Amino acid sequence: MSEQTQARGDSARRVVVVGAGMAGVQTAVALREQGFTGSVTLIGAEPHQPYDRPPLSKAVLLGKAEGSAFDVDFEALRIELRLGCEVVGLRPGDHELDTTEGPVPYDVLVLASGAEPIRLPGAHGVPGVHLLRTLDDAERLRPVLAEQHDIVVVGAGWIGAEFATAAREAGCAVTVVEAADRPLAGALPAEVAAPMAAWYADSGAELRTRARVDRVEPGAVVLDDGSRVPAGAVVVGIGARPATAWLAGSGIELGVHGEVLADEHLRTSVPDVYAVGDCASFPSGRYEQRLLVHHWDNALQGPRTVAANIIGETPMAYDPVPYFWSEQFGRFVQYVGHHASADQTVWRGDPGGAAWAVCWLRSGRLVGLLAVGRPRDLAQGRRLIESGAPMDPGLLADPSRPLKEATA
C-alpha cells in the first residue's frame, strides 16, 4: 500500500478492477467480504453480465443453458459495473486508466484482464472459422452444432478436446488436426498424453497428429502435405495468451509470454497496481519457479490474496497448489500441482482403462498428480502435495491402496 492511499483510509479509497471474468469478479467480491468500505468498480469489455467460462464449452454450447452469469448481487455489494467498456491504456503517474468511455481514476488498480485466444494465421475473416472463448463465440457455434456440420478442430489441447466432445455429442462428424505428435503436447509428458489419443477414436472423432494447417478455405482445411479436410466449420483451439497489449508504454513489467510479472504478493512493478488470474505470472516458493496458470481455480484463489493485500498492512504471499479439470470424451480428468521439476513418475492403474492416475515425485515427495476417473486420488493428492509428506513409491503404485496410505 503506498503512503498516498494508506493515508486516505479505506472509505475514501477507490479500487478499480480491469476484467469482469472470474478473477475480476472474485476480487471485487473478496474486497467486500473482507470488509473493504471504499468504492469498487469492475470494468468489463463485453456488454454481458459477468459470466463463468467453463460452461461455454459444455452446457451453453449444446443449448442446455442460456448463459452462465455469476450469481452475485453486485448492487447489494456496492460494486459498480461498467460493462461494454474497453480499457485502452494506463497512466500510472496520473493514477488513471484510459477507456473507450473516458478516463477512470483509481487509488488501487487490479489487472484481471485474462487471456485471449491465439488466432490461426491467415484464417481471419474466412467464413466458418470460429474461436471459443466468449459467450458470443458459444452463441455463434450453437447453431453450427445443431445443424450437424462436418467440423474440423485445430488443436488437440484441453479446449480442443472439450469442443470435440460437445460436437460429437451433438452428432457432428469431427476431425481434430494437431501439429504435434500427440494430444496435449504442451501440457503433459509424451508417455502420459499418448494413451489419451485413443479417446478420440472411441468417441467417433478422427485425430490427425503431425498435421500442420497450411491454410483455411471456405469449406476445407488444407494441410501442409496438400491434403484437404472437408469443413463445414473450423474451430481454432491452439492456445491463449495474456490480454495485456493495452499495457504498452505503462511501465508495467511483462514476461516473455506477455504476462504481467507479479511478485509473491501479486503486486506489479508499478505502485498501487496488482495483477491476478490468466494475465499474470507469480513466483512460486513451493515449485521454485515462476508460474503462469491459465486455469479457473487460479482465478478463484488469487483474488483473496489480492483483496487481503489491498486491505491489510501485512502482505500475504500467494503460493497455491495449481488445480484444474477437464471433461472430455466421457472422462473426468483432473490435474493438481506442477510436474516440471519431478524426478520420478509413478503410475496407478492401467492407462488403457477407465480410471487411472499418474503421480510425479521430487526427492520422494509428491509434486503433481493427474487423475482420470479417480477423484479421491486427486483430493488426497492435493493434501499430500500441500503437506510435503514423503511418499513410498511402491505403495503409491498400488491403485487399490488409498493415496493417503502410501506415505513413507
Side-chain angles (χ1 to χ4, degrees):
M1 188 186 303
S2 72
E3 292 181 8
Q4 172 191 335
T5 54
Q6 192 169 7
R8 295 183 57 184
D10 263 5
S11 61
R13 295 167 75 206
R14 300 164 297 187
V15 176
V16 175
V17 183
V18 176
M22 170 62 81
V25 168
Q26 289 299 323
T27 298
V29 170
L31 282 165
R32 292 300 187 222
E33 287 179 345
Q34 295 181 31
F36 182 74
T37 56
S39 72
V40 178
T41 301
L42 185 62
I43 300 178
E46 295 181 56
H48 310 290
Q49 278 290 113
Y51 61 88
D52 204 6
R53 293 193 190 279
L56 297 185
S57 60
K58 307 173 187 72
V60 175
L61 194 59
L62 292 169
K64 297 177 181 178
E66 287 304 313
S68 55
F70 289 113
D71 185 17
V72 174
D73 190 335
F74 294 100
E75 186 176 356
L77 290 173
R78 295 183 296 109
I79 296 170
E80 178 190 2
L81 292 181
R82 296 194 185 182
L83 304 176
C85 177
E86 188 175 350
V87 178
V88 295
L90 168 62
R91 290 175 285 111
D94 299 324
H95 273 65
E96 278 194 343
L97 286 169
D98 289 319
T99 80
T100 50
E101 307 295 316
V104 177
Y106 67 85
D107 292 312
V108 181
L109 178 65
V110 181
L111 308 178
S113 50
E116 55 194 7
I118 297 172
R119 296 178 179 273
L120 188 66
H124 184 65
V126 178
V129 177
H130 299 264
L131 298 167
L132 180 53
R133 181 74 184 179
T134 68
L135 181 59
D136 288 340
D137 291 338
E139 293 292 353
R140 282 189 286 267
L141 276 165
R142 203 149 71 170
V144 173
L145 266 61
E147 292 162 18
Q148 298 187 336
H149 285 279
D150 289 350
I151 293 176
V152 173
V153 180
V154 182
W158 300 112
I159 192 67
E162 290 183 4
F163 179 80
T165 299
R168 286 299 301 139
E169 188 175 329
C172 301
V174 178
T175 302
V176 180
V177 295
E178 168 57 54
D181 61 354
R182 62 187 186 278
L184 295 167
L188 296 173
E191 68 273 17
V192 177
M196 299 175 175
W199 299 355
Y200 289 78
D202 291 346
S203 77
E206 181 183 1
L207 173 64
R208 298 178 65 167
T209 55
R210 298 185 178 87
R212 292 187 176 275
V213 175
D214 179 65
R215 64 187 183 277
V216 179
E217 300 174 349
V221 171
V222 182
L223 303 179
D224 63 356
D225 64 0
S227 61
R228 297 168 62 86
V229 185
V234 178
V235 177
V236 179
I238 55 175
R241 61 167 64 94
T244 56
W246 63 277
L247 289 169
S250 68
I252 298 282
E253 188 178 355
L254 303 181
V256 294
H257 303 289
E259 82 279 14
V260 177
L261 294 176
D263 68 8
E264 68 272 22
H265 305 123
L266 298 181
R267 297 176 302 204
T268 72
S269 58
V270 167
D272 301 323
V273 182
Y274 293 80
V276 67
D278 288 3
C279 72
S281 66
F282 56 90
S284 169
R286 186 190 309 276
Y287 291 104
E288 300 178 337
Q289 64 183 108
R290 181 169 283 274
L291 300 182
L292 175 59
V293 181
H294 279 190
H295 293 297
W296 186 91
D297 192 63
N298 179 52
L300 174 68
Q301 304 294 341
R304 297 168 189 161
T305 299
V306 170
N309 288 337
I310 289 173
I311 296 168
E313 295 183 13
T314 304
M316 179 186 295
Y318 184 60
D319 195 8
V321 175
Y323 165 72
F324 76 92
W325 79 96
S326 176
E327 295 177 71
Q328 51 184 269
F329 308 119
R331 293 166 172 84
F332 188 40
V333 184
Q334 296 171 284
Y335 178 99
V336 66
H338 186 66
H339 69 267
S341 62
D343 54 33
Q344 186 175 6
T345 302
V346 178
W347 291 78
R348 285 171 60 79
D350 177 8
W356 49 277
V358 181
C359 301
W360 288 279
L361 306 177
R362 183 182 68 205
S363 302
R365 300 175 194 275
L366 193 65
V367 293
L369 183 143
L370 176 87
V372 177
R374 292 182 68 97
R376 186 171 298 174
D377 276 8
L378 190 288
Q380 294 180 9
R382 190 173 194 170
R383 289 192 287 271
L384 289 165
I385 293 172
E386 288 171 347
S387 71
M391 307 299 296
D392 182 320
L395 299 179
L396 199 59
D398 179 359
S400 66
R401 179 184 294 273
L403 212 65
K404 63 183 180 183
E405 295 178 9
T407 52

